Amino acid sequence: MTKLDATDLPAPRARRTTALRGGANTELIAWLFMRISGVILLVLVFGHLFVNLMVGDGVHAIDFAFVGGKWSEPFWQVWDLLMLWLAMIHGTNGVRTIINDYAERTGTRLVLKSLLYLAFVVTVVMGTLVIFTFDPCPPGSPADLLPSFCAA
Amino acid sequence: MASAPAAPPSPAPVPAPRSSRGRSTLYRGTEGMWSWVLHRITGVGLFLFLLVHVLDTAMVRVSPEVYNDVIGTYKTPIMGVMEAGLVAAVIFHAFNGIRIILVDFLAKGPRYQRVMFWVVIGLTVVLMAGFLPRHLGNVFGGGH
Ligand code: HEM
């Protein structure tokens, strides 16, 4: 019996797949990252939804003073920062996979992924700056819109 | 009395493979496929919402008035119902994500993928049953 090995077969669509995704190692890391970040996100997102939508008056309680109160505590700053980064990397990588699956033309993939990565950078930079440069007591704002500790 | 020669045994009807389930493949139309479709759709939906949600939250850097105006639109009935849909989407995506991880890492994971899909649906329904009265009460029941 003749032995066949994989190298006897012509690589199907070899030209296309070379441009399609990262190397085997990159894809393995991406695959692992989706799973690890997923488990952490479950805790972060469920905690976020519980505190913001279930406790007290739920959505009705959310206003500037509520956000100011949360982000004056390092605990929630770190929570939200981690959630922002992990969700953005997880989501961007997920959408990258979907683009690779459906966009067959190289040009289309290039355009879609450029838009995706642009959205990633803008959102992550903006979100990070907001969490860390936020002033819960902006001068000149009406006191009834601010967290109660601003009066002190 | 001459008896008729015995008829050759008629072959038992052979069912078409898997015809009893009315499926042409092991995958198409089954829990496995639908969990994948739902995971994909909820994943993209959550990602798009996340972009909007970071932007609306960034309004805290503009002024308390602007932030309160923007976030006020989340408290309307139509948005309240859409929020409920988003919450259902994350809950499903999160539990189904755990199901995917278990299928990948547990030796018996693939054997239980179908049961685990229904567990995911069940958990989603239970959590939504806890969330919806509270949330819809907040959205429709006044407050403001
Ligand atoms: C809350 C906890 C979450 C868990 C446990 C989770 C888990 C997972 C897992 C295990 C995958 C599969 C990756 C693969 O097949 O290789 C995945 C895919 C994906 N996730 Fe999540 N995820 C979570 C939250 C999110 C969030 C918040 C977003 C949006 C920003 C998101 C967007 C996506 C997308 C777009 C995909 C790709 C779907 C596909 O390829 O069909 N996920 N998730």
Side-chain angles (χ1 to χ4, degrees):
Chain A
M1 202 177 117
T2 46
K3 236 181 106 204
L4 264 184
D5 71 68
T7 49
D8 297 333
L9 300 170
R13 296 201 199 92
R15 254 191 319 155
R16 191 187 121 185
T17 44
T18 45
L20 196 52
R21 26 188 127 243
N25 204 34
T26 316
E27 291 301 336
L28 174 64
I29 291 170
W31 180 90
L32 241 194
F33 177 84
M34 290 306 273
R35 277 137 190 86
I36 296 170
S37 61
V39 173
I40 305 172
L41 277 170
L42 187 141
V43 177
L44 294 175
V45 172
F46 281 20
H48 175 74
L49 292 176
F50 189 79
V51 168
N52 288 20
L53 298 181
M54 285 292 281
V55 175
D57 286 333
V59 249
H60 265 300
I62 300 179
D63 56 14
F64 184 87
F66 176 87
V67 180
K70 273 183 92 179
W71 282 347
S72 58
E73 294 171 46
F75 177 84
W76 287 115
Q77 283 186 317
V78 172
W79 185 291
D80 286 354
L81 186 78
L82 206 62
M83 192 165 60
L84 170 72
W85 280 72
L86 288 180
M88 281 304 293
I89 302 174
H90 180 106
T92 301
N93 186 248
V95 173
R96 180 189 67 99
T97 303
I98 295 174
I99 292 174
N100 281 338
D101 278 356
Y102 299 119
E104 305 217 335
R105 291 182 46 237
T106 311
T108 317
R109 277 204 308 279
L110 201 75
V111 170
L112 290 177
K113 284 193 210 172
S114 303
L115 286 174
L116 176 67
Y117 298 148
L118 180 71
F120 173 85
V121 171
V122 170
T123 308
V124 167
V125 168
M126 182 175 66
T128 305
L129 284 177
V130 167
I131 293 174
F132 285 112
T133 66
F134 174 67
D135 177 2
C137 309
S141 291
D144 60 329
L145 298 184
L146 303 181
S148 50
F149 56 74
C150 291
Chain B
M1 219 162 87
S3 58
S10 67
V14 176
R18 295 188 203 100
S19 66
S20 60
R21 285 164 159 192
R23 289 178 195 134
S24 55
T25 69
L26 273 176
Y27 180 67
R28 220 160 80 204
T30 62
E31 289 87 345
M33 184 193 90
W34 289 113
S35 68
W36 172 79
V37 169
L38 282 174
H39 200 79
R40 201 153 252 206
I41 293 174
T42 52
V44 176
L46 293 170
F47 181 71
L48 294 177
F49 168 71
L50 179 58
L51 300 182
V52 176
H53 188 44
V54 173
L55 190 66
D56 66 59
T57 305
M59 294 304 123
V60 295
R61 286 295 282 128
V62 179
S63 75
E65 289 87 347
V66 168
Y67 180 76
N68 287 354
D69 274 356
V70 169
I71 214 68
T73 61
Y74 278 93
K75 300 171 187 177
T76 58
I78 292 175
M79 287 298 281
V81 170
M82 288 174 63
E83 278 153 39
L86 275 165
V87 170
V90 228
I91 294 177
F92 171 82
H93 187 99
F95 286 138
N96 194 55
I98 301 300
R99 170 181 161 278
I100 294 173
I101 296 170
L102 294 178
V103 169
D104 285 346
F105 287 105
L106 293 187
K108 295 208 168 159
R111 186 180 306 170
Y112 294 113
Q113 65 87 13
R114 188 190 304 269
V115 194
M116 287 196 286
F117 173 77
W118 291 109
V119 172
V120 166
I121 296 289
L123 286 173
T124 307
V125 169
V126 168
L127 287 208
M128 284 309 282
F131 172 71
L132 276 184
R134 173 105 238 187
H135 181 66
L136 295 181
N138 284 327
V139 170
F140 291 101
H144 279 234

